[in-house]
Amino acid sequence: MKFSLHDARHFLIGQLSLLCLFGCSSKKYIKELPYQYSSEQYVESTDSIKAQVDSQFSKNNDNAEMLTDEQLRLKEKYSIILETMPKEINNYALYGYIDKWIGTPYKKQSFDEGKGVDCSYFVQSLYSDIYKETFPKTADGIFRSKAIQLFTGRTFLKEGDILFFRYDKFKPISDVGIYLHNDRILACTETGLNIYDFNDQYFQLRYVAAGRLKEKE
């Protein structure tokens, strides 16, 4: 194969370039490589990216509401008992009131934390303190109150609704309870005032209706 003078010239230039490239000292070669960022530029660049990312997401704060130790205790305790998300527990006055009475024995027509409690008496006191609404002390009296809107659908229940039960065939409205969350209710049975599963047959067979405070005009 024959080379022209022109081809030979290009071949020679190429070989010389390769010799020059590999013949140069490595230190000189590295020194002449263009370094894109100084350490300061790198820090500024990464800080800028971090700031942009942080601005898109809220920082995780376990106590963003600035709750007291007691409020945090109630939130944790009742989110576990009711099997619901902690964010659902925010009426600390309600749960603080309930917490003192859980486990109190049942005693008809009584409201004594140390001796016993009747649930209609308890609901009357709780609504007076927490919701600033005065009810009669009897289940039937609460049921007839003009301050509440009655309904029967369970899907509409929400925290604080009053539940009405029939235990006595001579009393259509025999007792009351309070709906909390996740089909958990506060009610009285022979074991006392406690939190129960509303789906239990004991309550389902006796459930009559529910009532919710009307919005004040």
Side-chain angles (χ1 to χ4, degrees):
M1 182 177 180
K2 296 182 179 180
F3 291 95
S4 66
L5 181 61
H6 178 74
D7 292 334
R9 183 181 298 171
H10 279 279
F11 177 77
L12 182 59
I13 292 173
Q15 291 298 314
L16 290 173
S17 298
L18 287 174
L19 289 172
C20 181
L21 177 62
F22 290 106
C24 293
S25 68
S26 59
K27 291 183 179 180
K28 180 180 180 183
Y29 175 66
I30 292 174
K31 184 177 180 181
E32 291 178 352
L33 280 174
Y35 189 67
Q36 297 297 325
Y37 299 100
S38 67
S39 59
E40 291 182 0
Q41 289 175 314
Y42 177 76
V43 170
E44 291 175 0
S45 176
T46 53
D47 285 348
S48 176
I49 294 171
K50 182 178 182 300
Q52 291 176 21
V53 173
D54 287 346
S55 67
Q56 297 177 35
F57 300 95
S58 58
K59 294 183 178 179
N60 183 24
N61 188 339
D62 292 336
N63 192 11
E65 300 175 75
M66 302 299 290
L67 302 178
T68 65
D69 290 343
E70 175 63 10
Q71 289 171 333
L72 286 170
R73 183 187 71 83
L74 291 170
K75 180 184 283 289
E76 180 178 4
K77 178 179 179 178
Y78 286 94
S79 65
I80 294 172
I81 292 175
L82 304 179
E83 297 181 13
T84 190
M85 295 295 290
K87 67 179 181 180
E88 300 295 334
I89 308 300
N90 48 46
N91 190 339
Y92 307 110
L94 171 65
Y95 291 99
Y97 193 97
I98 290 172
D99 197 58
K100 296 181 295 183
W101 288 85
I102 291 292
T104 303
Y106 168 73
K107 187 176 182 180
K108 188 176 181 179
Q109 296 180 347
S110 176
F111 186 71
D112 189 323
E113 189 177 342
K115 297 181 179 180
V117 64
D118 187 312
C119 204
S120 61
Y121 280 49
F122 177 82
V123 170
Q124 189 270 345
S125 176
L126 181 147
Y127 261 77
S128 177
D129 282 9
I130 306 303
Y131 297 104
K132 311 306 178 185
E133 186 63 53
T134 302
F135 287 131
K137 290 184 177 180
T138 64
D140 183 68
I142 297 172
F143 182 80
R144 297 178 184 278
S145 173
K146 293 182 179 180
I148 62 173
Q149 178 67 52
L150 296 172
F151 60 96
T152 57
R154 285 185 51 180
T155 57
F156 303 107
L157 289 168
K158 68 178 185 178
E159 181 187 83
D161 287 343
I162 302 173
L163 306 172
F164 298 96
F165 300 101
R166 182 176 184 174
Y167 297 147
D168 189 334
K169 64 180 180 179
F170 299 109
K171 293 181 180 179
I173 304 298
S174 309
D175 204 0
V176 294
I178 295 177
Y179 186 84
L180 298 174
H181 282 283
N182 196 28
D183 284 339
R184 299 298 188 272
I185 65 173
L186 184 76
C188 263
T189 67
E190 60 182 8
T191 61
L193 183 70
N194 221 314
I195 293 174
Y196 301 93
D197 187 346
F198 190 31
N199 295 309
D200 193 296
Q201 189 177 29
Y202 178 85
F203 297 108
Q204 288 302 297
L205 293 175
R206 295 164 173 79
Y207 173 66
V208 177
R212 181 175 301 162
L213 279 180
K214 295 178 180 177
E215 294 184 6
K216 294 183 179 181
E217 299 179 355

